[in-house]
């Protein structure tokens, strides 16, 4: 199967409110349509994760980021421009994302993915995709496909064929940049 066909199949599942397992620019992730609150709720349940603990969202590019963050702080633009490894930025009050994807303060973590398959996925769907590590909450993060719990994979609606033989690096850095361009490092 080609990467494009794999993406088309994943997008069909996402459009139906399904959950996928897929490669990202960090670790293997679980995802759903970031604008679908029912899919987001189902993903929290599948991961056995408290919905008080927000999940990250991937976008394909800066244009897609601008579609969910009205006014990107200059500090965030500078961080994106100089980042040499994946960085998720937590923005104040994004819009167009499922309300249950937001943190209690109304913020959300969004990352422009640098990985071709996940970028193609976001583009083909035409909106952001949730990206949370492919593990049950509290368990070790799977760094590659073969480390993912088979019981977890059995619960998702689609597992990408692409990227199963690779080893991903690590989770992204997470930096909060508020509307006044104040920067707080949340995870390195």
């Amino acid at each position: 199967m080609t990467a494009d066909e794999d993406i088309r199949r994943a997008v069909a599942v996402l459009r139906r409110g399904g959950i996928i397992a897929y490669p990202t620019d960090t670790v293997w992730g679980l995802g759903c349509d970031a604008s679908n609150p029912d899919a987001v709720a189902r993903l929290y349940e599948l991961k056995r994760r408290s919905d008080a603990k927000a999940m990250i969202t991937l976008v394909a590019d800066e244009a897609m980021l601008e579609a969910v963050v009205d006014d990107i702080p200059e500090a965030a633009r500078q961080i994106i421009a100089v980042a040499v490894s994946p960085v998720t930025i937590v923005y104040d009050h994004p819009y167009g994302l499922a309300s249950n994807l937001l943190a209690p303060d109304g913020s959300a973590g969004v990352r422009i993915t640098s990985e071709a398959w996940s970028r193609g996925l976001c583009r083909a769907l035409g909106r952001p995709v949730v990206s949370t590590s492919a593990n049950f909450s509290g368990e070790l993060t799977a760094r590659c496909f073969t480390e993912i719990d088979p019981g977890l994979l059995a619960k998702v609606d689609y597992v990408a064929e692409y990227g199963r033989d690779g080893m991903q690096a690590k989770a992204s850095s997470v930096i909060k940049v508020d509307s006044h361009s104040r920067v707080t490092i949340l995870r390195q």
Side-chain angles (χ1 to χ4, degrees), residues 3-4 38-39 50 60 84 161:
D4 288 343
D38 293 333
S50 165
V84 294
E161 294 289 328

Side-chain angles (χ1 to χ4, degrees), residues 17 29 110 126 135 153 179:
V110 183
N135 61 301
L153 290 175
S179 57

Side-chain angles (χ1 to χ4, degrees), residues 33-149:
D33 177 347
S35 67
N36 182 330
D38 293 333
V40 171
R42 190 168 156 240
L43 184 51
Y44 274 115
E45 184 179 322
L46 184 141
K47 272 194 65 98
R48 303 177 192 152
R49 181 177 177 146
S50 165
D51 61 4
K53 190 172 180 185
M55 294 186 283
I56 291 170
T57 300
L58 294 184
V59 294
D61 49 37
E62 198 165 325
M64 191 175 281
L65 175 63
E66 290 171 350
V68 296
V69 179
D70 186 35
D71 187 24
I72 301 169
E74 184 56 32
R77 290 186 188 278
Q78 291 173 7
I79 291 166
I80 292 167
V82 300
V84 294
S85 60
V87 62
T88 299
I89 298 181
V90 178
Y91 297 94
D92 287 340
H93 312 293
Y95 56 93
L97 300 177
S99 61
N100 54 343
L101 191 55
L102 306 180
D105 67 357
S107 65
V110 183
R111 182 172 73 248
I112 299 173
T113 182
S114 61
E115 191 276 326
W117 199 94
S118 56
R119 187 174 45 245
L121 177 71
C122 292
R123 284 187 177 139
L125 182 62
R127 49 189 176 268
V129 175
V130 172
S131 178
T132 183
S133 57
N135 61 301
F136 290 113
S137 187
E139 294 186 5
L140 291 175
T141 300
R143 294 171 298 140
C144 60
F145 178 77
T146 58
E147 292 180 356
I148 301 171
D149 184 321

